[in-house]
Amino acid sequence: MLRDFRAFVFDLDGCIYRGSIPIPGAAETVAHLRKLGKKILFLTNNATRTPEQYAEKLKEMEIEADVDNILTSATATAIFLSKKYGKATIFPVGGQGLVQELEKTGHTMVAAHEIEKAEFVVACLDPDFTYEKLNLACQAIFSGAKLIATNIDPTIPVEQGFRPGAGAIVAAISAATGAKPEIVGKPFEHIIKIALARLGTDARETVFVGDRLDTDIQAGKEVGGFTILVLTGSTKREAAEKVDNPKQKPNLILPDISYIPQLLI
């Protein structure tokens, strides 16, 4: 039933791997799709790594990927800001995975001593998030900066369960300032348009695969793609089968991505 689709968009956390542990069959599935001539894009809301670092992580799991095969919410945010606002002055709440992608696109980062110059606060998952970073982000917004969220995922799946995601950090900034964030990552159309443009395919020719109903599945549904929920991450089968929102109801539910080749015959 999937053989006529030209492209597959895979989430990473909870779909291809959990933390540093690959999902069994992930490498074989991606290799099989490539052998059939399918286009592959890894699309992640997680902005803690650069595309180069994600490519290296995937290669360590025997999954071939180059930088063009990977789109992070940090890259999408950098592109989105350039297209909508031009080159921007930014206070980043995030690590080098965010900063490098913003700078690569020509944006300028501001330091703590010039926080009032920030036009935007861009927030993502930040393992080094502190009260001082929260305070600086708030001071920038109090001085007129707009709040941009790479994504608002509440959690990320890891080896032994879950950890707080970018959504927890964005919520803290929003709660303190009253600022409503403009969100770039899944399920919002900004990142999906960039993904489809990179693939060169129409949404109706594309399969979206992921572990979250409110990001991966809704992202595919919003643009009219075919959606597959895998049960190796954030969503249990019972929750997926009970979902009422048609925008979050997957076309197909699979235990993991190793079942995909069976549907390409």
Side-chain angles (χ1 to χ4, degrees), residues 164-179:
I169 293 171
V170 174
I173 299 170
S174 184
T177 62

Side-chain angles (χ1 to χ4, degrees), residues 3-77:
R3 64 180 180 272
D4 294 332
F5 289 95
R6 294 178 56 208
F8 286 73
V9 175
F10 288 102
D11 180 43
L12 289 176
D13 293 295
C15 180
I16 299 294
Y17 52 70
R18 289 186 68 108
S20 60
I21 301 175
I23 300 298
E28 294 81 359
T29 296
V30 173
H32 184 72
L33 289 168
R34 285 208 170 102
K35 186 177 180 180
L36 294 176
K38 306 299 184 182
K39 295 183 176 183
I40 302 291
L41 182 71
F42 300 103
L43 179 63
T44 178
N45 270 353
N46 191 331
T48 56
R49 297 173 185 249
T50 65
E52 290 83 1
Q53 289 170 327
Y54 275 117
E56 186 60 32
K57 179 173 181 175
L58 289 170
K59 286 177 183 178
E60 290 172 358
M61 297 176 179
E62 300 184 348
I63 299 172
E64 286 301 316
D66 58 35
V67 173
D68 290 337
N69 300 138
I70 298 163
L71 178 61
T72 74
S73 62
T75 306
T77 298

Side-chain angles (χ1 to χ4, degrees), residues 60-126:
E60 290 172 358
M61 297 176 179
E62 300 184 348
I63 299 172
E64 286 301 316
D66 58 35
V67 173
D68 290 337
N69 300 138
I70 298 163
L71 178 61
T72 74
S73 62
T75 306
T77 298
I79 295 170
F80 164 76
L81 285 170
S82 292
K83 288 184 176 180
K84 186 169 182 179
Y85 300 104
K87 299 296 185 289
T89 303
I90 295 167
F91 177 70
V93 178
Q96 286 303 303
L98 174 65
V99 172
Q100 288 183 27
E101 292 306 293
L102 291 170
E103 290 182 336
K104 190 187 299 182
T105 316
H107 303 297
T108 302
M109 304 303 107
V110 301
H113 69 274
E114 53 183 1
I115 197 66
E116 71 281 353
K117 295 181 180 179
E119 299 172 293
F120 298 93
V121 171
V122 177
C124 71
L125 176 60
D126 185 355

Side-chain angles (χ1 to χ4, degrees), residues 106-186:
H107 303 297
T108 302
M109 304 303 107
V110 301
H113 69 274
E114 53 183 1
I115 197 66
E116 71 281 353
K117 295 181 180 179
E119 299 172 293
F120 298 93
V121 171
V122 177
C124 71
L125 176 60
D126 185 355
D128 298 317
F129 187 62
T130 62
Y131 182 83
E132 181 58 22
K133 279 191 180 181
L134 173 60
N135 178 51
L136 288 168
C138 292
Q139 296 308 315
I141 292 170
F142 293 148
S143 297
K146 295 182 174 67
L147 177 59
I148 306 290
T150 64
N151 71 92
I152 53 170
D153 293 3
T155 59
I156 57 168
V158 294
E159 294 91 336
Q160 302 301 323
F162 299 91
R163 290 180 180 171
I169 293 171
V170 174
I173 299 170
S174 184
T177 62
K180 184 178 180 181
E182 188 163 14
I183 308 161
V184 177
K186 296 179 286 186

